[in-house]
Amino acid sequence: MNLQQTQLYDRIQAFSFDQPNATLPFSQRLARDNGWTIDFANRAIQEYRRFTFLAIVAGHPVTPSDQVDQVWHLHLTYTQSYWNEFCPNVLQAPLHHCPTLGGDTEQDKFNRWYSKTLESYTHFFGQPPTDLWPTHSLRFGRDLHFQRLNLSQNWILPKPVLPQWQIPSFSRLHSYPQILSTRIALLIICFSLSVVITGCQILVAGGDKNPLNYNGPTFLGFYIGLIILASLIAFGLRRVLLSQIEPDPAQNYPNLNEYELAYLAGGANQAIHAVLASLLHRGHLQLSPLNQIQATHLPLEQGQPIEQEVLQAIHHSPRSESSAHQICLTAASRTKAIAHRLTRFGLLYDPQKTDKVRWLPFSIMVLVFLLGVAKILVGISRNRPTGNLTFLCFVVLAIGFFMLSVPHCTAYGDRLLQTMRGRHHSLKSSRSNPSEQQLILAFALFGSSALIGSSLNPFHELITPRQSDSSTSYNDSGSSCGGGGGCGGCSG
């Protein structure tokens, strides 16, 4: 940017969309009207600022994404703010909203404008976020179907996501090497398996199409095949749904501190343990003879917010001391800011988007479980043994409950962890008095085993479970990348 462009951008960034003492601020109204979260609305407002900047300096007509356009629509309703302050004083030029006139010519025109807008955006700000600046097919396809609905009179149910069949033009055939996507291929494979297994079982059963009338061995064979088929479909659906909510990774890995890396590797408990280890190493905490963590009189003049909050949690506990487990329970809510930042970077899955990932595969297994329960009831009514079938039903239920767990770490987050662990692999086995930052970094990446032989070895023994007391101990080393939800490890 040159000096004039920098001054324009600074004016746009300094402009406030909210009126003084407004009970309903601009961002909250935007989030309410569009069903967005406050965080997403604030990000959309930031992209609107960048769009207005491009409208002045790009040197060509610009077209916003639908998300940015919603911000523009709302801003236009604040007529005094828009026409009396924003345009004359900030942009120092009028900025008119020009809807399409309809027709193929207008569509081609706005397609070109949108492409040039994305090019100018990349020139000034880098790659645009795809959830706010989607591709052409989404911008002029899916995003054109938004409508205003009265939620007090209508229920909104999500449509199942069906594969989009597009017939390419002859001039673009070279850009379509594969017509079928992986999702369509998965559906075809699952349908074929279901036809084959169901057909074979009907033949074995002598043509009786009611599975509840199969004899014992025949139903067990049918049910085992059904469990395998349902598990394949559930796992495949889970994989597809996870890929749909997988955020677009940034071009470069973000700079994370030790506590954020600890949260990424092992969840909230490991982040709090990293804070405790750091405060113990710096002398703000100490271990009592009863292996309780207590605060010292050394003040924490400078520190990260999570350190201050953990210290407050200890001070508010009886006699200013607590066990590590109690501190984790008390201070777990203090790690929400870390989780929010990691989610914004695309390193963690957004919990608000994982409902389908959990409940749709789980529902498939529940249907199989209910079929088994129905056959058990039929067997009991006919005085037939049902032990094997009961065992299989428990297997189905276990698979179903596994489907309810969703990894909190995305594939992008998993790659970042693997990169950081490879880069700092030497810290894993270092015993030569590493610095505090290196020690806490090793703990964040490799778990409490990195503290063995250091000054924090007593803390390692405190949080490491004992073999003789496995029922009450817990392990928060977090050095594995296995699947799991909550405070577990990460999974691609």
Side-chain angles (χ1 to χ4, degrees):
M1 298 183 190
N2 56 35
L3 178 61
Q4 186 177 4
Q5 293 170 346
T6 302
Q7 292 174 347
L8 170 62
Y9 189 70
D10 290 342
R11 291 198 304 269
I12 295 175
Q13 291 294 106
F15 179 79
S16 175
F17 293 93
D18 293 324
Q19 298 177 354
N21 302 322
T23 305
L24 183 63
F26 185 91
S27 58
Q28 293 185 13
R29 184 187 297 272
L30 179 67
R32 183 200 65 181
D33 292 350
N34 292 277
W36 295 343
T37 63
I38 292 296
D39 179 65
F40 189 86
N42 286 326
R43 290 179 57 222
I45 292 173
Q46 175 61 20
E47 297 305 317
Y48 171 64
R49 295 180 189 273
R50 293 180 173 182
F51 167 74
T52 57
F53 171 82
L54 294 177
I56 302 301
V57 306
H60 58 75
V62 293
T63 295
S65 64
D66 183 79
Q67 293 76 12
V68 174
D69 199 33
Q70 297 308 313
V71 187
W72 196 3
H73 288 176
L74 181 60
H75 194 193
L76 284 167
T77 63
Y78 290 71
T79 55
Q80 292 183 351
S81 170
Y82 187 83
W83 291 113
N84 295 343
E85 298 178 20
F86 187 68
C87 288
N89 299 330
V90 178
L91 301 183
Q92 298 180 356
L95 181 60
H96 293 279
H97 190 287
C98 302
T100 179
L101 301 177
D104 294 340
T105 303
E106 288 284 286
Q107 182 178 357
D108 292 340
K109 179 185 72 174
F110 283 107
N111 266 301
R112 293 194 307 271
W113 287 5
Y114 190 68
S115 297
K116 298 183 71 173
T117 302
L118 295 181
E119 292 175 2
S120 296
Y121 185 104
T122 304
H123 172 73
F124 284 99
F125 307 112
Q127 289 295 328
T130 55
D131 57 341
L132 287 164
W133 291 94
T135 60
H136 290 79
S137 59
L138 296 179
R139 170 63 181 91
F140 298 105
R142 178 200 64 184
D143 290 353
L144 295 180
H145 297 279
F146 286 105
Q147 291 185 359
R148 185 170 179 240
L149 293 175
N150 190 329
L151 297 181
S152 66
Q153 297 176 333
N154 299 275
W155 288 339
I156 299 179
L157 298 176
K159 271 186 176 182
V161 179
L162 300 177
Q164 298 293 327
W165 293 86
Q166 296 182 353
I167 301 177
S169 62
F170 290 102
S171 60
R172 297 182 180 179
L173 280 176
H174 64 278
S175 62
Y176 293 84
Q178 296 180 346
I179 300 299
L180 295 179
S181 67
T182 55
R183 298 180 189 176
I184 302 175
L186 177 63
L187 291 176
I188 292 175
I189 293 174
C190 292
F191 178 76
S192 302
L193 287 174
S194 64
V195 170
V196 171
I197 294 177
T198 304
C200 291
Q201 295 302 328
I202 290 176
L203 291 176
V204 171
D208 192 346
K209 297 182 179 180
N210 186 2
L212 298 180
N213 291 330
Y214 294 176
N215 58 37
T218 302
F219 185 85
L220 285 178
F222 164 77
Y223 199 62
I224 291 174
L226 187 61
I227 292 174
I228 296 174
L229 174 64
S231 300
L232 290 175
I233 294 177
F235 277 102
L237 180 62
R238 173 187 170 96
R239 186 181 183 91
V240 169
L241 293 175
L242 279 175
S243 67
Q244 288 181 349
I245 65 173
E246 183 77 23
D248 292 324
Q251 289 182 325
N252 299 313
Y253 288 132
N255 293 323
L256 303 182
N257 59 39
E258 292 80 5
Y259 304 145
E260 291 168 338
L261 286 172
Y263 191 101
L264 188 64
N269 279 4
Q270 183 150 329
I272 296 173
H273 283 172
V275 174
L276 294 177
S278 178
L279 294 177
L280 283 167
H281 192 272
R282 289 147 58 188
H284 299 287
L285 297 177
Q286 65 182 7
L287 294 180
S288 69
L290 298 178
N291 284 333
Q292 298 287 302
I293 298 176
Q294 58 186 15
T296 64
H297 297 291
L298 183 64
L300 182 63
E301 297 179 355
Q302 293 182 349
Q304 299 189 34
I306 186 65
E307 296 176 343
Q308 300 281 1
E309 293 169 353
V310 170
L311 276 178
Q312 290 178 5
I314 297 176
H315 281 299
H316 293 161
S317 62
R319 295 179 297 177
S320 295
E321 64 179 25
S322 297
S323 66
H325 183 58
Q326 291 174 338
I327 296 173
C328 286
L329 293 177
T330 304
S333 60
R334 315 292 175 90
T335 61
K336 289 183 178 180
I338 296 178
H340 178 75
R341 187 167 185 263
L342 296 177
T343 302
R344 184 162 52 87
F345 283 135
L347 301 172
L348 300 181
Y349 286 112
D350 188 349
Q352 298 179 353
K353 298 180 181 179
T354 58
D355 287 342
K356 291 192 299 183
V357 178
R358 295 185 294 114
W359 292 107
L360 288 182
F362 175 75
S363 300
I364 295 175
M365 304 311 298
V366 166
L367 292 177
V368 179
F369 172 76
L370 293 177
L371 176 62
V373 171
K375 183 59 177 177
I376 289 175
L377 296 177
V378 172
I380 293 175
S381 67
R382 297 175 181 177
N383 296 321
R384 296 289 190 269
T386 59
N388 292 333
L389 183 57
T390 302
F391 172 75
L392 290 177
C393 286
F394 278 110
V395 171
V396 173
L397 203 59
I399 298 174
F401 279 111
F402 172 78
M403 295 297 172
L404 288 178
S405 64
V406 175
H408 77 148
C409 183
T410 64
Y412 177 53
D414 186 38
R415 291 195 300 271
L416 185 147
L417 272 179
Q418 296 299 334
T419 300
M420 294 297 293
R421 284 170 176 160
R423 184 180 302 170
H424 300 284
H425 182 73
S426 60
L427 296 178
K428 186 177 182 180
S429 58
S430 177
R431 300 290 182 267
S432 56
N433 296 324
S435 65
E436 181 220 345
Q437 186 175 7
Q438 290 177 329
L439 190 63
I440 304 306
L441 177 61
F443 176 83
L445 293 175
F446 305 107
S448 61
S449 61
L451 304 181
I452 298 176
S454 69
S455 60
L456 291 176
N457 188 68
F459 182 67
H460 158 72
E461 296 177 352
L462 178 65
I463 65 176
T464 302
R466 299 176 183 176
Q467 298 295 332
S468 60
D469 192 22
S470 59
S471 61
T472 58
S473 60
Y474 58 96
N475 184 6
D476 196 33
S477 62
S479 59
S480 66
C481 280
C487 297
C490 61
S491 171

Coordinates of all heavy atoms in Angstrom, one line a residue, residues 403-468:
M403 N -19.0 -43.8 18.2 CA -19.3 -42.8 17.2 C -19.7 -41.4 17.8 O -19.6 -40.4 17.1 CB -20.5 -43.2 16.3 CG -20.2 -44.5 15.5 SD -18.9 -44.2 14.3 CE -18.7 -45.8 13.6
L404 N -20.0 -41.4 19.1 CA -20.4 -40.2 19.7 C -19.1 -39.3 20.1 O -19.3 -38.2 20.4 CB -21.2 -40.4 21.0 CG -22.6 -40.9 20.9 CD1 -23.2 -41.2 22.2 CD2 -23.4 -39.9 20.1
S405 N -18.0 -40.0 20.1 CA -16.7 -39.2 20.4 C -16.2 -38.6 19.1 O -16.1 -39.3 18.0 CB -15.7 -40.2 21.0 OG -15.3 -41.2 20.1
V406 N -15.9 -37.4 19.2 CA -15.3 -36.6 18.0 C -14.0 -36.0 18.4 O -13.9 -35.4 19.5 CB -16.3 -35.5 17.5 CG1 -15.7 -34.7 16.4 CG2 -17.6 -36.1 17.1
P407 N -12.9 -36.2 17.6 CA -11.6 -35.6 17.9 C -11.7 -34.1 17.9 O -12.4 -33.5 17.1 CB -10.7 -36.1 16.8 CG -11.6 -36.5 15.7 CD -12.9 -37.0 16.3
H408 N -11.2 -33.5 18.9 CA -11.2 -32.0 19.0 C -10.1 -31.4 18.1 O -10.1 -30.2 17.9 CB -11.1 -31.5 20.4 CG -9.7 -31.6 21.0 ND1 -9.2 -30.7 21.9 CD2 -8.7 -32.4 20.8 CE1 -8.0 -30.9 22.2 NE2 -7.6 -32.0 21.5
C409 N -9.2 -32.2 17.6 CA -8.1 -31.7 16.9 C -8.3 -32.0 15.4 O -8.6 -33.2 15.0 CB -6.8 -32.3 17.4 SG -5.3 -31.7 16.6
T410 N -8.2 -31.0 14.5 CA -8.3 -31.2 13.1 C -7.1 -31.9 12.5 O -6.0 -32.0 13.1 CB -8.6 -29.9 12.4 OG1 -7.5 -29.1 12.5 CG2 -9.8 -29.2 13.0
A411 N -7.2 -32.3 11.2 CA -6.0 -32.8 10.5 C -4.9 -31.8 10.4 O -3.7 -32.1 10.5 CB -6.4 -33.3 9.1
Y412 N -5.3 -30.5 10.3 CA -4.3 -29.4 10.2 C -3.6 -29.3 11.6 O -2.4 -29.1 11.6 CB -5.1 -28.1 9.9 CG -4.2 -26.9 9.8 CD1 -3.0 -26.8 9.1 CD2 -4.6 -25.7 10.5 CE1 -2.3 -25.7 9.1 CE2 -3.8 -24.6 10.5 CZ -2.7 -24.6 9.8 OH -1.9 -23.4 9.8
G413 N -4.4 -29.4 12.7 CA -3.8 -29.3 14.0 C -2.9 -30.5 14.2 O -1.8 -30.4 14.9
D414 N -3.3 -31.7 13.7 CA -2.4 -32.9 13.9 C -1.1 -32.7 13.2 O 0.0 -33.0 13.7 CB -3.2 -34.1 13.4 CG -2.4 -35.4 13.6 OD1 -1.8 -35.5 14.7 OD2 -2.4 -36.3 12.7
R415 N -1.1 -32.1 11.9 CA 0.1 -31.9 11.2 C 1.0 -30.9 11.9 O 2.2 -31.0 11.9 CB -0.2 -31.4 9.8 CG -0.9 -32.5 8.9 CD -0.8 -32.1 7.4 NE -1.6 -30.8 7.2 CZ -2.9 -30.7 6.9 NH1 -3.6 -31.9 6.8 NH2 -3.4 -29.6 6.7
L416 N 0.4 -29.9 12.5 CA 1.2 -28.9 13.2 C 1.9 -29.5 14.4 O 3.1 -29.3 14.7 CB 0.3 -27.7 13.7 CG 1.0 -26.6 14.4 CD1 0.3 -25.2 14.1 CD2 1.1 -26.7 15.9
L417 N 1.2 -30.4 15.1 CA 1.8 -31.1 16.3 C 2.9 -32.0 15.8 O 4.0 -32.0 16.4 CB 0.7 -31.9 17.0 CG -0.1 -31.2 18.1 CD1 -1.1 -32.2 18.7 CD2 0.8 -30.7 19.2
Q418 N 2.7 -32.7 14.7 CA 3.8 -33.6 14.2 C 5.0 -32.8 13.8 O 6.1 -33.2 14.0 CB 3.3 -34.5 13.1 CG 2.2 -35.4 13.4 CD 2.6 -36.4 14.5 OE1 3.7 -36.8 14.6 NE2 1.6 -36.9 15.3
T419 N 4.8 -31.6 13.2 CA 5.9 -30.8 12.8 C 6.6 -30.3 14.0 O 7.9 -30.3 14.0 CB 5.3 -29.6 11.9 OG1 4.7 -30.1 10.8 CG2 6.5 -28.7 11.5
M420 N 5.9 -29.8 15.0 CA 6.6 -29.3 16.2 C 7.3 -30.3 17.0 O 8.4 -30.1 17.5 CB 5.5 -28.6 17.1 CG 4.9 -27.3 16.5 SD 6.1 -26.0 16.2 CE 6.5 -25.6 17.8
R421 N 6.7 -31.5 17.0 CA 7.4 -32.6 17.7 C 8.7 -33.1 17.0 O 9.7 -33.4 17.6 CB 6.5 -33.8 17.9 CG 5.4 -33.6 19.0 CD 4.3 -34.6 18.9 NE 3.4 -34.5 20.1 CZ 2.2 -35.0 20.1 NH1 1.7 -35.7 19.1 NH2 1.4 -34.8 21.1
G422 N 8.6 -33.1 15.6 CA 9.8 -33.4 14.9 C 10.9 -32.3 15.0 O 12.1 -32.6 15.1
R423 N 10.5 -31.0 15.1 CA 11.4 -29.9 15.2 C 12.1 -29.9 16.5 O 13.2 -29.5 16.7 CB 10.7 -28.6 14.9 CG 11.5 -27.4 14.9 CD 10.7 -26.1 14.6 NE 9.9 -26.3 13.4 CZ 9.0 -25.4 13.0 NH1 8.6 -24.4 13.8 NH2 8.4 -25.6 11.9
H424 N 11.3 -30.3 17.6 CA 11.9 -30.2 19.0 C 12.1 -31.6 19.6 O 11.9 -31.8 20.8 CB 11.0 -29.4 19.9 CG 10.8 -28.0 19.4 ND1 11.7 -27.0 19.5 CD2 9.7 -27.4 18.7 CE1 11.2 -25.9 19.0 NE2 10.0 -26.1 18.5
H425 N 12.4 -32.6 18.7 CA 12.5 -33.9 19.2 C 13.6 -34.1 20.2 O 13.6 -34.9 21.1 CB 12.8 -34.9 18.0 CG 12.9 -36.3 18.4 ND1 11.8 -37.1 18.8 CD2 14.0 -37.2 18.5 CE1 12.2 -38.3 19.1 NE2 13.5 -38.4 19.0
S426 N 14.7 -33.3 20.1 CA 15.8 -33.4 21.0 C 15.4 -33.0 22.5 O 16.0 -33.5 23.4 CB 16.9 -32.4 20.6 OG 16.5 -31.1 20.6
L427 N 14.3 -32.2 22.6 CA 13.9 -31.9 24.0 C 13.3 -33.0 24.7 O 13.2 -33.0 26.0 CB 12.9 -30.7 23.9 CG 13.4 -29.4 23.4 CD1 12.2 -28.4 23.4 CD2 14.5 -28.9 24.2
K428 N 12.8 -34.0 24.0 CA 12.2 -35.2 24.6 C 13.1 -35.9 25.5 O 12.7 -36.5 26.6 CB 11.6 -36.1 23.5 CG 10.7 -37.2 24.1 CD 10.1 -38.0 23.0 CE 9.2 -39.1 23.5 NZ 8.6 -40.0 22.4
S429 N 14.3 -36.0 25.1 CA 15.3 -36.8 25.9 C 16.4 -36.0 26.6 O 17.4 -36.5 27.1 CB 16.0 -37.9 25.0 OG 16.6 -37.3 24.0
S430 N 16.2 -34.6 26.5 CA 17.2 -33.7 27.1 C 17.1 -33.8 28.6 O 16.1 -33.6 29.2 CB 16.9 -32.3 26.6 OG 17.9 -31.4 27.2
R431 N 18.2 -33.9 29.3 CA 18.3 -33.9 30.7 C 19.4 -32.9 31.2 O 19.8 -33.0 32.4 CB 18.7 -35.3 31.3 CG 17.7 -36.4 30.9 CD 16.3 -36.2 31.6 NE 15.4 -37.2 31.3 CZ 14.5 -37.2 30.3 NH1 14.4 -36.1 29.6 NH2 13.7 -38.2 30.1
S432 N 19.8 -32.0 30.4 CA 20.9 -31.2 30.7 C 20.4 -29.8 31.1 O 20.8 -28.8 30.4 CB 21.9 -31.1 29.5 OG 21.2 -30.6 28.4
N433 N 19.6 -29.7 32.1 CA 19.1 -28.4 32.7 C 18.6 -27.5 31.6 O 19.2 -26.4 31.3 CB 20.2 -27.7 33.5 CG 20.6 -28.5 34.7 OD1 19.8 -29.2 35.3 ND2 21.9 -28.5 35.0
P434 N 17.5 -27.9 30.9 CA 17.0 -27.0 29.9 C 16.4 -25.7 30.5 O 16.1 -25.7 31.7 CB 15.9 -27.8 29.2 CG 15.5 -28.8 30.3 CD 16.7 -29.1 31.0
S435 N 16.3 -24.7 29.7 CA 15.7 -23.5 30.2 C 14.2 -23.7 30.5 O 13.6 -24.7 30.1 CB 15.8 -22.4 29.1 OG 15.1 -22.7 28.0
E436 N 13.6 -22.7 31.2 CA 12.2 -22.9 31.6 C 11.3 -23.0 30.3 O 10.4 -23.9 30.3 CB 11.7 -21.7 32.4 CG 10.3 -21.8 32.8 CD 9.6 -20.5 32.7 OE1 10.2 -19.4 32.6 OE2 8.3 -20.5 32.8
Q437 N 11.6 -22.2 29.3 CA 10.7 -22.2 28.1 C 10.9 -23.6 27.4 O 9.9 -24.2 26.9 CB 11.1 -21.1 27.2 CG 10.2 -21.0 26.0 CD 10.5 -19.7 25.1 OE1 11.5 -19.1 25.4 NE2 9.6 -19.5 24.2
Q438 N 12.1 -24.1 27.3 CA 12.3 -25.4 26.7 C 11.7 -26.5 27.5 O 11.1 -27.4 26.9 CB 13.8 -25.6 26.5 CG 14.5 -24.8 25.5 CD 16.0 -25.0 25.5 OE1 16.6 -25.4 26.5 NE2 16.6 -24.8 24.3
L439 N 11.7 -26.4 28.8 CA 11.1 -27.5 29.6 C 9.6 -27.5 29.5 O 9.0 -28.6 29.3 CB 11.5 -27.2 31.1 CG 11.2 -28.4 32.1 CD1 12.0 -29.6 31.7 CD2 11.5 -27.9 33.5
I440 N 9.0 -26.4 29.5 CA 7.5 -26.3 29.4 C 7.1 -26.7 28.0 O 6.1 -27.3 27.8 CB 7.0 -24.9 29.8 CG1 7.5 -24.6 31.2 CG2 5.5 -24.9 29.7 CD1 7.1 -25.6 32.2
L441 N 7.9 -26.3 27.0 CA 7.6 -26.7 25.6 C 7.7 -28.2 25.4 O 6.9 -28.8 24.8 CB 8.6 -26.0 24.6 CG 8.5 -26.4 23.2 CD1 7.1 -26.0 22.6 CD2 9.6 -25.7 22.3
A442 N 8.7 -28.8 26.0 CA 8.8 -30.3 26.0 C 7.7 -30.9 26.7 O 7.1 -32.0 26.2 CB 10.2 -30.7 26.6
F443 N 7.2 -30.4 27.8 CA 6.1 -30.9 28.5 C 4.8 -30.8 27.6 O 4.0 -31.7 27.6 CB 5.9 -30.2 29.8 CG 4.6 -30.6 30.6 CD1 4.6 -31.7 31.4 CD2 3.4 -29.9 30.5 CE1 3.5 -32.1 32.0 CE2 2.3 -30.3 31.1 CZ 2.3 -31.4 31.9
A444 N 4.6 -29.7 27.0 CA 3.5 -29.5 26.1 C 3.4 -30.4 25.0 O 2.3 -30.9 24.6 CB 3.5 -28.0 25.6
L445 N 4.6 -30.7 24.4 CA 4.6 -31.6 23.2 C 4.6 -33.1 23.5 O 4.1 -33.9 22.8 CB 5.8 -31.2 22.3 CG 5.7 -29.8 21.7 CD1 7.0 -29.5 20.9 CD2 4.6 -29.7 20.7
F446 N 5.4 -33.4 24.5 CA 5.6 -34.8 24.8 C 5.0 -35.4 26.1 O 5.2 -36.5 26.5 CB 7.1 -35.1 24.8 CG 7.8 -34.6 23.5 CD1 8.6 -33.5 23.5 CD2 7.6 -35.3 22.3 CE1 9.2 -33.1 22.3 CE2 8.2 -34.9 21.2 CZ 9.0 -33.8 21.2
G447 N 4.4 -34.5 26.9 CA 3.7 -35.0 28.1 C 4.7 -34.9 29.3 O 5.8 -34.4 29.2
S448 N 4.2 -35.4 30.4 CA 4.9 -35.3 31.7 C 6.2 -36.1 31.7 O 7.1 -35.8 32.5 CB 4.0 -35.7 32.8 OG 3.7 -37.1 32.7
S449 N 6.4 -37.1 30.8 CA 7.6 -37.8 30.8 C 8.8 -36.9 30.5 O 10.0 -37.3 30.8 CB 7.5 -38.9 29.7 OG 7.3 -38.4 28.4
A450 N 8.6 -35.8 29.8 CA 9.7 -34.8 29.5 C 10.3 -34.2 30.8 O 11.3 -33.6 30.8 CB 9.2 -33.7 28.6
L451 N 9.6 -34.3 31.9 CA 10.0 -33.7 33.2 C 10.9 -34.7 34.0 O 11.5 -34.3 35.0 CB 8.8 -33.3 34.1 CG 7.8 -32.4 33.4 CD1 6.7 -32.1 34.4 CD2 8.5 -31.1 32.9
I452 N 11.0 -35.9 33.6 CA 11.8 -36.9 34.3 C 13.3 -36.4 34.3 O 13.9 -36.1 33.3 CB 11.7 -38.3 33.7 CG1 10.3 -38.8 33.7 CG2 12.7 -39.3 34.4 CD1 10.1 -40.1 33.0
G453 N 13.9 -36.4 35.5 CA 15.3 -36.0 35.7 C 15.5 -34.5 35.8 O 16.6 -34.1 36.1
S454 N 14.4 -33.7 35.7 CA 14.5 -32.3 35.8 C 14.1 -31.9 37.2 O 13.8 -32.7 38.1 CB 13.7 -31.6 34.8 OG 12.3 -31.8 35.1
S455 N 14.2 -30.6 37.5 CA 13.8 -30.1 38.8 C 12.3 -30.3 39.0 O 11.8 -30.2 40.2 CB 14.1 -28.6 38.9 OG 13.4 -27.8 37.9
L456 N 11.5 -30.6 38.0 CA 10.1 -30.8 38.1 C 9.7 -32.3 38.2 O 8.6 -32.6 37.9 CB 9.3 -30.1 37.0 CG 9.4 -28.6 37.0 CD1 8.7 -28.0 35.7 CD2 8.7 -28.0 38.2
N457 N 10.7 -33.1 38.4 CA 10.4 -34.5 38.5 C 9.3 -34.9 39.6 O 8.5 -35.7 39.3 CB 11.7 -35.3 38.8 CG 11.5 -36.8 38.7 OD1 11.2 -37.3 37.6 ND2 11.5 -37.5 39.8
P458 N 9.3 -34.2 40.7 CA 8.2 -34.5 41.7 C 6.9 -34.2 41.1 O 5.9 -34.9 41.4 CB 8.6 -33.5 42.9 CG 10.0 -33.3 42.8 CD 10.4 -33.3 41.3
F459 N 6.8 -33.1 40.3 CA 5.5 -32.8 39.7 C 5.1 -33.9 38.7 O 3.9 -34.3 38.6 CB 5.5 -31.5 39.0 CG 4.3 -31.0 38.4 CD1 3.2 -30.7 39.1 CD2 4.2 -30.9 37.0 CE1 2.0 -30.3 38.5 CE2 3.0 -30.5 36.4 CZ 1.9 -30.2 37.2
H460 N 6.1 -34.4 38.0 CA 5.8 -35.6 37.1 C 5.2 -36.8 37.8 O 4.3 -37.4 37.4 CB 7.1 -36.0 36.3 CG 7.1 -37.4 35.8 ND1 6.3 -37.7 34.7 CD2 7.7 -38.5 36.2 CE1 6.5 -39.0 34.5 NE2 7.3 -39.5 35.4
E461 N 5.8 -37.1 39.0 CA 5.3 -38.2 39.8 C 3.9 -37.9 40.3 O 3.1 -38.8 40.5 CB 6.3 -38.5 40.9 CG 7.7 -38.9 40.4 CD 8.7 -39.1 41.6 OE1 8.3 -38.8 42.7 OE2 9.8 -39.7 41.3
L462 N 3.7 -36.6 40.6 CA 2.4 -36.3 41.2 C 1.2 -36.5 40.2 O 0.2 -37.0 40.5 CB 2.4 -34.8 41.6 CG 1.1 -34.2 42.2 CD1 0.7 -35.0 43.5 CD2 1.2 -32.7 42.4
I463 N 1.5 -36.2 38.9 CA 0.4 -36.3 37.9 C 0.4 -37.5 37.1 O -0.5 -37.7 36.3 CB 0.4 -35.0 37.0 CG1 1.7 -35.1 36.1 CG2 0.3 -33.7 37.7 CD1 1.8 -34.0 35.1
T464 N 1.4 -38.4 37.4 CA 1.5 -39.7 36.6 C 0.7 -40.7 37.4 O 1.0 -40.9 38.6 CB 2.9 -40.1 36.4 OG1 3.6 -39.1 35.7 CG2 3.0 -41.4 35.6
P465 N -0.1 -41.5 36.8 CA -0.9 -42.5 37.5 C 0.0 -43.6 38.0 O 0.9 -44.0 37.4 CB -1.9 -43.0 36.5 CG -1.2 -42.8 35.2 CD -0.5 -41.5 35.4
R466 N -0.4 -44.1 39.2 CA 0.3 -45.3 39.8 C -0.4 -46.6 39.4 O -1.6 -46.6 39.3 CB 0.4 -45.1 41.3 CG 1.1 -43.9 41.8 CD 1.0 -43.8 43.3 NE 1.7 -42.6 43.8 CZ 1.7 -42.2 45.0 NH1 1.1 -42.9 46.0 NH2 2.3 -41.1 45.4
Q467 N 0.4 -47.6 39.2 CA -0.2 -48.9 38.8 C -1.1 -49.4 39.8 O -2.1 -50.1 39.5 CB 1.0 -49.9 38.4 CG 1.9 -49.4 37.3 CD 1.1 -49.4 36.0 OE1 0.1 -50.1 35.8 NE2 1.5 -48.5 35.1
S468 N -0.8 -49.2 41.1 CA -1.6 -49.7 42.2 C -2.8 -49.0 42.5 O -3.6 -49.4 43.3 CB -0.7 -49.8 43.5 OG -0.3 -48.5 43.8

